[in-house]
Every structure is written in structure tokens, then in C-alpha cells.
């Protein structure tokens, strides 16, 4: 079995995206490598987080800009997350949906038009 080891967020306006993720989830952005490339620190307390990066949007295939892949962020409160997303320039694109035995999920669009999931995990969700 393999675990997700890294995720990238691609942005047209890296500064705007950086502010969004720092304010919405409290992530830290550390400059690394080329201009407009940051390593994301998602660790909190004993939770090791996951290795991620924020970078200028690029074309991996000529003529097709990279808009990323689905990524879901574990959150403590889905309602607080909805508030933070909207307060910081994002918008919810899929309302709360309960996945039995897993938790409550939303999808939102960040200011860079990336679609991201947020899940309040709860093994007792019905």
C-alpha cells in the first residue's frame, strides 16, 4: 500500500494563494528553490502533516495548464472551515455531505480556481 507523500498547489497569483492558505489553515510557506516556489508546512503538534508545495502554475503538457489533483484537508470543524474559506476569498462548490462512517466533506474553490476537499473526520458519522 502507498500513502500520499506530496501535494502541489498551482497558482497564477502565488502571493494571493499563499495568503489564502496561511489564513485559512494556518500553514506556513517557506521559500525553496526557484522564484514563486514554497514548501508548505502543514504539521501541527504531534500530527506530522504532509509534504506539500505552492508554486506558479505551469504547463506539464504544452497548452494545458496544471490545475492540480484532488486533495482533501482534514479539519477539526467543517463549519469553521466554510467560514474561513469564504472569509479569505474562496467559495464552497459542494455543500456539506456526510459520508457514513467517515465524516463530513465539502469541496471548495480557492482564489486560484483549484478545487480542494475538506473533511471533518468522524467514524460515527451517519
Amino acid at each position: 500500500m502507498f500513502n500520499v507523500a506530496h501535494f502541489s498547489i498551482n497558482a497564477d497569483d502565488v502571493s494571493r494563494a499563499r495568503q489564502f492558505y496561511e489564513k485559512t489553515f494556518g500553514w506556513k510557506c517557506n521559500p525553496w528553490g526557484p522564484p514563486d516556489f514554497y514548501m508548505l508546512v502543514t504539521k501541527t503538534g504531534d500530527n506530522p502533516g504532509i509534504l506539500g508545495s505552492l508554486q506558479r502554475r505551469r504547463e506539464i503538457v504544452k497548452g494545458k495548464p496544471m490545475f492540480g489533483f484532488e486533495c482533501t484537508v482534514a479539519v477539526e470543524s467543517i463549519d469553521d472551515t466554510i467560514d474561513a474559506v469564504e472569509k479569505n476569498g474562496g467559495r464552497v462548490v459542494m455543500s456539506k455531505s456526510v459520508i457514513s462512517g467517515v465524516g463530513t466533506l465539502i469541496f471548495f474553490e480557492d482564489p486560484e480556481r483549484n478545487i480542494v476537499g475538506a473533511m471533518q473526520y468522524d467514524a460515527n458519522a451517519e
Side-chain angles (χ1 to χ4, degrees), residues 92-110:
V92 174
V93 295
M94 186 188 89
S95 299
K96 291 190 284 188
S97 176
V98 175
I99 300 173
S100 183
V102 179
T104 304
L105 173 71
I106 64 165
F107 280 98
F108 64 89
E109 184 176 58
D110 73 9

Side-chain angles (χ1 to χ4, degrees), residues 8-118:
S8 293
I9 299 170
N10 296 274
D12 295 318
D13 185 330
V14 175
S15 177
R16 179 174 61 193
R18 178 180 175 186
Q19 289 178 14
F20 175 82
Y21 285 98
E22 286 176 337
K23 290 179 180 177
T24 301
F25 295 116
W27 294 347
K28 304 293 182 236
C29 298
N30 297 326
W32 189 87
D36 284 333
F37 189 97
Y38 295 87
M39 293 305 298
L40 298 172
V41 178
T42 65
K43 178 184 180 352
T44 56
D46 293 334
N47 180 337
I50 186 170
L51 182 61
S53 62
L54 170 64
Q55 61 198 12
R56 176 146 317 276
R57 193 176 317 281
R58 70 226 186 273
E59 291 182 0
I60 293 175
V61 175
K62 188 166 177 59
K64 182 169 176 51
M66 179 60 180
F67 281 91
F69 64 95
E70 181 179 313
C71 176
T72 300
V73 179
V75 299
E76 290 183 16
S77 167
I78 204 72
D79 292 323
D80 290 349
T81 301
I82 291 168
D83 290 342
V85 164
E86 293 172 344
K87 177 182 176 186
N88 290 297
R91 68 183 186 98
V92 174
V93 295
M94 186 188 89
S95 299
K96 291 190 284 188
S97 176
V98 175
I99 300 173
S100 183
V102 179
T104 304
L105 173 71
I106 64 165
F107 280 98
F108 64 89
E109 184 176 58
D110 73 9
E112 298 304 309
R113 299 174 303 169
N114 295 301
I115 303 298
V116 183

